[in-house]
């Protein structure tokens, strides 16, 4: 039988931490039960492990009790790191023993999965250096600055690389759990669990949920001015040549600095700003897709739809149907 260890972080836990722990425990337990009902043995023994006996959450309103100290687990097959609260740096500093244990277990053959902002704890171990990773879209800018060696894929819901799994934000951790069930058990068990817990299978993007605010924590004044200028010219087509000339910087150097600071090319940044404005219009108004398209500086319907789908994973009509019931009616 395999060993699954669900981490109980020492301090820095919040309600999302509890949700991740409970959700993972319940789905894996049900997958075990399904295997027993179909004549097979349980696949996983599940243990909640941490550095202290319990973690208090929300001013002591909830308490998560560790079943075992991590030092008592000599070997495990799969580690799940739940979401952390927003004090990411403090959380990693206070869990160094846990981080060292995770590194040793991975070296000894364990696989590791992080949920939401649990990616910060995983990244602090160095195991994500050079690898792809996802986390909650709202923490993406902070994560990029803190862990520049990690290839953050903020739009992806799940990443899977060399025995390390990560997922996007909030309750999308359930999609990761179903993904792990299929990986470790089989497809029928994953389908069964998805139906029992009503979790949509095979989701691969969190783009439709992202609110683009622009990476502004980089400290490059010229790029920040360029970002502000792009955002103020929402309804216009912006030439990168004109933009670089406006700030007296060569085109190649301008592109290089912009990409380094924001993670996007100037064109991609302008597209994301425009599409974010279009999303809000589709969510809150009865404007047609064409009206919204013209308002954000597009005149070609096909081009607008392609960029919109590329960024959100949905067509403009699909997006409006998803988020604006009044407009659909």
């Amino acid at each position: 039988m395999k060993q699954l260890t669900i981490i109980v972080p020492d301090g820095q836990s919040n309600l999302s931490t509890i949700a991740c722990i409970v959700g993972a425990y319940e789905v894996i337990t049900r997958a075990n039960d399904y295997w027993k009902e179909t004549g097979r043995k349980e696949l996983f023994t599940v243990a909640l492990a941490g550095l202290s006996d319990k973690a208090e959450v929300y001013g002591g309103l909830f308490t998560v009790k560790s079943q075992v100290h991590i030092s008592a687990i000599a070997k495990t097959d799969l580690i799940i790191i739940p979401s952390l609260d927003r004090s990411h740096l403090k959380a990693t500093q206070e869990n160094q023993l846990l981080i060292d244990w995770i590194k040793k277990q991975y070296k000894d053959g364990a696989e590791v999965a992080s949920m939401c902002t649990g990616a910060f704890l995983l990244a602090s171990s160095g195991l994500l250096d050079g690898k792809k990773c996802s986390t909650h879209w709202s923490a993406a800018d902070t994560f990029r600055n803190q862990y520049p060696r990690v290839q953050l894929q903020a739009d992806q819901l799940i990443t899977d690389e060399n025995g390390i799994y990560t997922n996007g934000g909030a309750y999308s951790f359930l999609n990761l759990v179903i993904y792990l069930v299929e990986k470790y058990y089989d497809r029928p068990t994953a389908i069964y669990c998805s139906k029992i817990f009503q979790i949509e299978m095979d989701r691969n993007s969190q783009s439709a949920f992202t609110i683009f605010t622009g990476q502004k924590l980089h400290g490059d004044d010229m790029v920040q001015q360029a970002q502000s200028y792009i955002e103020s010219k929402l309804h216009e087509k912006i030439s990168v040549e004109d933009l670089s000339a406006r700030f007296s910087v060569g085109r190649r150097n301008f592109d290089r600095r912009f990409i380094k600071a924001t993670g996007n090319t100037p064109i991609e940044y302008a597209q994301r700003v425009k599409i974010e404005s279009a999303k809000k219009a589709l969510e809150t108004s009865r404007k047609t897709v064409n009206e919204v398209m013209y308002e954000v500086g597009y005149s070609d319907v096909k081009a607008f739809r392609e960029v919109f789908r590329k960024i959100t994973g949905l067509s403009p009509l699909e997006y409006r149907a998803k988020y604006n019931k009044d407009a659909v009616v």
Side-chain angles (χ1 to χ4, degrees), residues 96 99-100 102-103 120-129 147:
Q96 190 56 52
I99 292 165
D100 292 341
I102 292 169
K103 288 169 65 176
F120 283 80
L121 188 66
L122 180 55
S124 68
S125 71
L127 295 178
L128 283 174
D129 287 357
Y147 301 107

Side-chain angles (χ1 to χ4, degrees), residues 156-169:
Q156 285 192 23
L157 192 71
I158 295 171
T159 67
D160 175 349
E161 189 172 359
N162 297 334
I164 295 180
Y165 313 90
T166 68
N167 94 282

